[in-house]
Amino acid sequence: MSIVLSGLYRYPVKSLRGERLASMQVDARGLLYDRHWMLVDEESRFLTQRELPRMALVRPRIEESGLVLGAPGMPDLQLQADSREALQVQIWRDLCTARVMSRRADQWLSKFLDTPCRLVYLPQEQVRRVDQDYAQREDQVGFADGFPFLLISRASLGDLNRRMGRSLPMERFRPNLVVEGCEAYAEDGWKRIRIGDLEFRVVKPCSRCAIPTVDPETGERRGKEPLKTLATYRKQGNNVYFGQNLIHDAQGWLQTGLPVEVLE
């Protein structure tokens, strides 16, 4: 049975809607511009759908002119960085020196989300290192929770959906890489894989928070699924796990349809 990369997703702004791609460059931090931007509150602490499920309704996209934001009932906002203001921001236990994107972005997002917030980005000169318990010294990441890539197999989602008796889309789980052609949860046993010319270390299962309970079409949290079902068979300690975190060993390109080879 051959395994292929069937889905490729990027999330330009942390915790906003993602983009499904056919191909994308991989740089030192992961997919180019993945979680390059982030929203922070008045205390400069990161914001996500955990606190603001409505963030799921904001659609960022990257065009030649720069970052564009769209949301229901709001005019599209085309942005280029017009501020050089540096801001010390907190994401989990990490402190990073980010830069403020634009006052217009802050006003637009604060109005739609009905809460004061600012849009910041991680400049190229700022290096946020991956947790050294799982990574090598040179490994870095953008504003993702902890790792450059999240991988889920299509078969794993199919198994979960069968157990729930409903069909949730892959987008609920916000992966970067979706693979087909393997058995459900085969990714749990992988240690190293190759996709096309790029090799990846499979370093840690992904513990799931409340974000998969948010309906991305409505921006509302509806019940306890899929966490309720996952807890019946994917729970270890106080966490439930679904998907695997990966770190890449080189830069290059990915595109859907590439073969996936399990090296270890």
Side-chain angles (χ1 to χ4, degrees), residues 15-245:
S15 222
L16 300 189
R17 186 72 64 95
E19 302 175 296
R20 185 164 187 173
L21 309 166
S23 63
M24 180 47 55
Q25 182 181 348
V26 175
D27 68 4
R29 294 175 179 168
L31 291 177
L32 184 63
Y33 296 124
D34 185 58
R35 279 90 166 193
H36 181 69
W37 291 270
M38 179 173 73
L39 274 63
V40 298
D41 62 17
E42 293 178 298
E43 297 178 350
S44 299
R45 189 178 186 277
F46 75 116
L47 289 169
T48 74
Q49 291 178 36
R50 299 171 184 88
E51 305 86 23
L52 297 172
R54 191 170 166 82
M55 290 175 69
L57 299 177
V58 184
R59 295 178 176 270
R61 64 183 187 272
I62 297 173
E63 299 181 349
E64 289 186 8
S65 60
L67 178 68
V68 180
L69 300 178
M74 299 286 288
D76 281 4
L77 182 65
Q78 295 190 345
L79 292 170
Q80 289 184 326
D82 59 16
S83 168
R84 297 296 295 171
E85 180 185 352
L87 192 66
Q88 190 87 344
V89 301
Q90 182 178 355
I91 171 171
W92 297 112
R93 286 182 281 184
D94 292 343
L95 293 175
C96 305
T97 301
R99 292 196 181 277
V100 175
M101 185 68 180
S102 162
R103 181 178 296 274
R104 292 190 305 132
D106 299 345
Q107 294 171 342
W108 191 97
L109 287 159
S110 297
K111 178 179 179 181
F112 180 75
L113 296 173
D114 194 27
T115 191
C117 59
R118 307 192 79 181
L119 180 65
V120 301
Y121 67 94
L122 194 64
Q124 290 302 316
E125 65 269 18
Q126 175 71 25
V127 175
R128 181 177 174 230
R129 300 198 184 280
V130 181
D131 187 338
Q132 293 296 288
D133 288 341
Y134 303 96
Q136 298 173 2
R137 176 67 181 170
E138 64 273 15
D139 294 329
Q140 57 178 292
V141 66
F143 283 135
D145 275 353
F147 297 91
F149 290 92
L150 172 62
L151 178 147
I152 300 174
S153 72
R154 184 68 61 181
S156 298
L157 177 60
D159 179 75
L160 172 59
N161 282 338
R162 284 190 293 273
R163 291 172 186 263
M164 285 190 299
R166 58 187 294 193
S167 183
L168 292 183
M170 185 64 79
E171 286 78 4
R172 282 277 191 118
F173 302 91
R174 301 177 67 83
N176 299 107
L177 309 173
V178 179
V179 298
E180 290 188 18
C182 62
E183 295 181 354
Y185 313 110
E187 61 268 33
D188 291 350
W190 298 346
K191 294 183 178 179
R192 180 177 288 272
I193 64 172
R194 180 186 294 123
I195 305 177
D197 295 328
L198 297 182
E199 292 190 13
F200 298 81
R201 286 163 275 145
V202 185
V203 294
K204 183 181 182 295
C206 180
S207 61
R208 308 309 310 215
C209 64
I211 288 179
T213 66
V214 176
D215 184 341
E217 300 306 316
T218 66
E220 297 175 339
R221 187 169 288 120
R222 296 184 179 275
K224 297 182 179 180
E225 292 291 12
L227 300 183
K228 181 179 177 181
T229 297
L230 283 170
T232 65
Y233 73 110
R234 300 286 296 176
K235 188 172 183 179
Q236 297 181 23
N238 294 322
N239 297 316
V240 295
Y241 294 90
F242 191 71
Q244 292 288 331
N245 290 298

Side-chain angles (χ1 to χ4, degrees), residues 26 193-200 248-255 258-261 263:
V26 175
I193 64 172
R194 180 186 294 123
I195 305 177
D197 295 328
L198 297 182
E199 292 190 13
F200 298 81
H248 53 306
D249 284 340
Q251 301 181 43
W253 281 84
L254 288 173
Q255 66 181 43
L258 284 174
V260 178
E261 182 181 358
L263 304 176

